[in-house]
Amino acid sequence: MTGSEPAVELDGVTRRYAETTAVKAVSLTVREGEFFTLVGPSGCGKTTTLRLLGGFDSPTAGAVRLAGENVSGVPPENRDIGIVFQNYALFPTMTVRENVAYGLNFADPPDGGSTADRVAELLDLVDLAGMGERDPTELSGGQQQRVALARALAPGPQLLLLDEPMSALDARLRERLRVQLQAIQTELGITTVYVTHDQEEALAISDRVAVMRSGRVEQVGEPRAVYRRPETRFVAAFLGDNNVLDGTVLDVTDRGDGVRATVRVDGTELVVRADDRRPVPGDRLSFCVRPEALVVDGATNTLTATVQSTEFLGETTRAHLDWGGTELLARTAVPLDGSVTLGFDPADAHVVAVE
Ligand code: ATP
């Protein structure tokens, strides 16, 4: 590998089955050392994409390249990858130590040391030092998943593939484990491709995310960028709470501080930032405003809505609002009640479609 080549490259990859096309002409690259996440709703093709990377399945069209090499026809055991699945798949009759050592059955320890030393090193890495003689059944779900991670990392693979590794765990444990996983990944600098349907997890853990829908990649980017600037209606609605509104463009101005479009939404005129799309009067335009951008008594873009229900989330309260038949979400420090007047800064609105 020259260093300029991506660690992972999918080039126009399609996987067709008899009835469905699970992955449709997907092209993306993962950089060396990157934590890259495939996120999307159930059935969007995440697992199939990961299986194609791992060599458990072959593309119908397109190429998979690892470290610049086309790996079509290369079986999983020759791809230099570690993989962790949702169900820990530990061997119940083996101790923790034996499970981790199993990861070395087909390979020598990467540093030329002994298997025993390598196992101890890995148990230490996943914070399970001293637990080597336990049976997997004597461990919590989170601990079992860390054993599975240690086993996958034992041979020192170039690439780590993780398929919903935390989805069987409860919320608190998931949060703890994701912090540990991130620390381990950073420490090792190992290129990682992670699959999850949990958008919050994807935003929290990744260097970059690819949002998938119906076999296609809708958007790739850093979590902050994808959250702030979703490129499609789907991404806007899928990643975090959002209000997506549709209207007709009445007027477009450019006064040097950016392009602003006046949009009529259900009879109300709202002004939104529209630098990226440059709409013209008469266009149908969709934009999104995050619930936290709707502020009480905001000076611009005022909307009067009725609170339908609220959810206490600790620091903030989420309110479900009815705005003349349109459902809106707001997130405020002070709980909302009854009839409220909200506003948003045009700069906090982001255009997701112009037709
Ligand atoms: P989930 O989050 O539910 O695991 P996913 O995003 O990982 O979903 P995939 O498992 O990749 O989705 O499946 C994508 C689509 O391909 C689905 O419609 C699925 O039914 C179909 N599919 C997957 N594997 C096969 C197969 N072996 N034979 C036929 N269809 C399949």
Short mmCIF file of all heavy atoms in Angstrom, two decimals, residues 23 45 51 60 101 108 135 142 147-148 157-158 162 197 206 242 252 255 266 281 290 297 328 342:
data_model
loop_
_atom_site.label_atom_id
_atom_site.label_comp_id
_atom_site.label_asym_id
_atom_site.label_seq_id
_atom_site.Cartn_x
_atom_site.Cartn_y
_atom_site.Cartn_z
N VAL A 23 -27.81 -4.15 -2.65
CA VAL A 23 -26.84 -3.06 -2.75
C VAL A 23 -26.80 -2.61 -4.20
O VAL A 23 -26.66 -3.43 -5.10
CB VAL A 23 -25.44 -3.54 -2.28
CG1 VAL A 23 -24.40 -2.45 -2.47
CG2 VAL A 23 -25.47 -3.98 -0.82
N GLY A 45 -29.38 -2.42 3.32
CA GLY A 45 -28.21 -3.01 2.66
C GLY A 45 -26.90 -2.92 3.43
O GLY A 45 -25.84 -3.23 2.89
N ARG A 51 -20.75 -7.72 4.47
CA ARG A 51 -20.45 -9.10 4.06
C ARG A 51 -19.61 -9.11 2.78
O ARG A 51 -18.74 -9.96 2.60
CB ARG A 51 -21.74 -9.89 3.86
CG ARG A 51 -22.43 -10.26 5.19
CD ARG A 51 -23.81 -10.88 4.97
NE ARG A 51 -23.75 -12.00 4.05
CZ ARG A 51 -23.37 -13.23 4.38
NH1 ARG A 51 -23.03 -13.50 5.61
NH2 ARG A 51 -23.35 -14.19 3.48
N THR A 60 -22.42 -8.78 -7.44
CA THR A 60 -22.92 -9.15 -8.76
C THR A 60 -22.21 -8.29 -9.81
O THR A 60 -21.98 -8.72 -10.93
CB THR A 60 -24.45 -8.87 -8.85
OG1 THR A 60 -25.06 -9.30 -7.63
CG2 THR A 60 -25.08 -9.58 -10.02
N ALA A 101 -7.64 -16.85 22.27
CA ALA A 101 -6.53 -17.58 21.62
C ALA A 101 -7.01 -18.21 20.31
O ALA A 101 -6.23 -18.34 19.36
CB ALA A 101 -5.99 -18.66 22.56
N ASP A 108 -0.15 -16.37 13.35
CA ASP A 108 0.81 -16.19 14.43
C ASP A 108 0.55 -14.85 15.09
O ASP A 108 0.04 -13.93 14.44
CB ASP A 108 2.24 -16.19 13.88
CG ASP A 108 2.61 -17.57 13.34
OD1 ASP A 108 2.16 -18.57 13.94
OD2 ASP A 108 3.32 -17.63 12.31
N ASP A 135 -15.71 -18.74 32.25
CA ASP A 135 -16.49 -19.19 31.09
C ASP A 135 -17.27 -17.98 30.57
O ASP A 135 -17.67 -17.12 31.36
CB ASP A 135 -17.51 -20.25 31.51
CG ASP A 135 -16.83 -21.59 31.76
OD1 ASP A 135 -15.76 -21.80 31.18
OD2 ASP A 135 -17.38 -22.38 32.53
N GLY A 142 -21.96 -7.10 27.82
CA GLY A 142 -20.93 -6.15 27.39
C GLY A 142 -19.54 -6.78 27.46
O GLY A 142 -18.71 -6.58 26.57
N VAL A 147 -14.88 -9.66 24.72
CA VAL A 147 -14.10 -10.87 24.41
C VAL A 147 -14.13 -11.11 22.89
O VAL A 147 -13.10 -11.41 22.27
CB VAL A 147 -14.66 -12.12 25.14
CG1 VAL A 147 -13.89 -13.38 24.72
CG2 VAL A 147 -14.59 -11.93 26.65
N ALA A 148 -15.32 -10.95 22.31
CA ALA A 148 -15.44 -11.15 20.85
C ALA A 148 -14.54 -10.15 20.11
O ALA A 148 -13.91 -10.49 19.10
CB ALA A 148 -16.89 -10.97 20.42
N PRO A 157 -5.35 -7.69 12.65
CA PRO A 157 -5.82 -7.48 11.28
C PRO A 157 -5.66 -6.02 10.84
O PRO A 157 -5.55 -5.12 11.68
CB PRO A 157 -7.31 -7.85 11.36
CG PRO A 157 -7.68 -7.58 12.79
CD PRO A 157 -6.46 -7.93 13.60
N GLN A 158 -5.71 -5.82 9.52
CA GLN A 158 -5.62 -4.47 8.95
C GLN A 158 -6.95 -3.75 9.02
O GLN A 158 -7.02 -2.53 8.97
CB GLN A 158 -5.23 -4.55 7.47
CG GLN A 158 -3.79 -4.95 7.24
CD GLN A 158 -2.84 -3.92 7.78
OE1 GLN A 158 -2.96 -2.74 7.49
NE2 GLN A 158 -1.91 -4.35 8.62
N LEU A 162 -17.50 -4.49 12.05
CA LEU A 162 -18.39 -4.66 13.21
C LEU A 162 -19.84 -4.54 12.75
O LEU A 162 -20.23 -3.50 12.21
CB LEU A 162 -18.09 -3.59 14.25
CG LEU A 162 -16.65 -3.52 14.78
CD1 LEU A 162 -16.38 -2.17 15.42
CD2 LEU A 162 -16.41 -4.62 15.80
N HIS A 197 -28.06 0.58 12.90
CA HIS A 197 -29.27 1.29 12.47
C HIS A 197 -29.53 2.45 13.42
O HIS A 197 -30.46 3.23 13.24
CB HIS A 197 -30.48 0.35 12.43
CG HIS A 197 -30.83 -0.17 13.78
ND1 HIS A 197 -30.25 -1.29 14.31
CD2 HIS A 197 -31.65 0.31 14.72
CE1 HIS A 197 -30.71 -1.48 15.53
NE2 HIS A 197 -31.56 -0.52 15.81
N SER A 206 -18.36 7.87 15.05
CA SER A 206 -17.68 7.76 13.76
C SER A 206 -16.83 8.97 13.38
O SER A 206 -17.13 10.10 13.76
CB SER A 206 -18.73 7.61 12.65
OG SER A 206 -19.75 6.74 13.06
N ASN A 242 -35.98 16.18 13.51
CA ASN A 242 -35.94 17.29 12.57
C ASN A 242 -37.35 17.68 12.18
O ASN A 242 -38.29 16.88 12.30
CB ASN A 242 -35.16 16.87 11.31
CG ASN A 242 -34.30 17.99 10.78
OD1 ASN A 242 -34.50 19.15 11.12
ND2 ASN A 242 -33.34 17.65 9.95
N VAL A 252 -36.38 35.45 -3.99
CA VAL A 252 -35.01 35.06 -3.63
C VAL A 252 -34.16 36.32 -3.62
O VAL A 252 -34.21 37.12 -4.55
CB VAL A 252 -34.43 34.05 -4.65
CG1 VAL A 252 -33.00 33.66 -4.26
CG2 VAL A 252 -35.30 32.81 -4.75
N ARG A 255 -28.05 39.43 -0.58
CA ARG A 255 -27.57 40.74 -0.13
C ARG A 255 -26.13 40.68 0.35
O ARG A 255 -25.72 41.44 1.21
CB ARG A 255 -28.45 41.26 1.00
CG ARG A 255 -29.89 41.48 0.57
CD ARG A 255 -30.55 42.60 1.36
NE ARG A 255 -31.94 42.71 0.97
CZ ARG A 255 -32.92 42.08 1.59
NH1 ARG A 255 -32.68 41.32 2.63
NH2 ARG A 255 -34.17 42.22 1.17
N ASP A 266 -47.93 26.47 3.77
CA ASP A 266 -49.30 26.46 4.30
C ASP A 266 -49.80 27.86 4.62
O ASP A 266 -50.33 28.12 5.71
CB ASP A 266 -49.39 25.60 5.58
CG ASP A 266 -49.16 24.13 5.26
OD1 ASP A 266 -49.41 23.73 4.11
OD2 ASP A 266 -48.73 23.40 6.17
N PRO A 281 -38.07 31.84 -7.93
CA PRO A 281 -39.49 31.92 -7.59
C PRO A 281 -40.30 30.89 -8.39
O PRO A 281 -40.04 30.67 -9.58
CB PRO A 281 -39.86 33.35 -7.96
CG PRO A 281 -38.59 34.12 -7.77
CD PRO A 281 -37.50 33.17 -8.21
N ARG A 290 -33.94 22.12 12.80
CA ARG A 290 -33.82 21.24 13.97
C ARG A 290 -34.71 21.73 15.11
O ARG A 290 -34.90 22.97 15.26
CB ARG A 290 -32.37 21.20 14.45
CG ARG A 290 -31.41 20.53 13.48
CD ARG A 290 -31.54 19.04 13.50
NE ARG A 290 -30.70 18.41 12.49
CZ ARG A 290 -30.79 17.12 12.15
NH1 ARG A 290 -31.69 16.34 12.72
NH2 ARG A 290 -30.01 16.61 11.24
N ASP A 297 -40.57 32.95 21.18
CA ASP A 297 -40.59 34.37 20.86
C ASP A 297 -39.46 34.78 19.92
O ASP A 297 -38.93 35.88 20.02
CB ASP A 297 -40.52 35.23 22.15
CG ASP A 297 -41.74 34.99 23.03
OD1 ASP A 297 -42.83 34.73 22.46
OD2 ASP A 297 -41.60 35.04 24.26
N LEU A 328 -44.90 19.62 14.40
CA LEU A 328 -43.55 20.16 14.59
C LEU A 328 -42.97 19.63 15.89
O LEU A 328 -43.72 19.29 16.82
CB LEU A 328 -43.58 21.69 14.68
CG LEU A 328 -43.99 22.49 13.45
CD1 LEU A 328 -44.00 23.98 13.79
CD2 LEU A 328 -43.04 22.23 12.29
N LEU A 342 -43.24 30.52 18.32
CA LEU A 342 -41.84 30.15 18.13
C LEU A 342 -41.31 30.84 16.89
O LEU A 342 -42.08 31.26 16.03
CB LEU A 342 -41.73 28.63 17.93
CG LEU A 342 -42.23 27.76 19.08
CD1 LEU A 342 -42.38 26.33 18.62
CD2 LEU A 342 -41.26 27.84 20.26
#
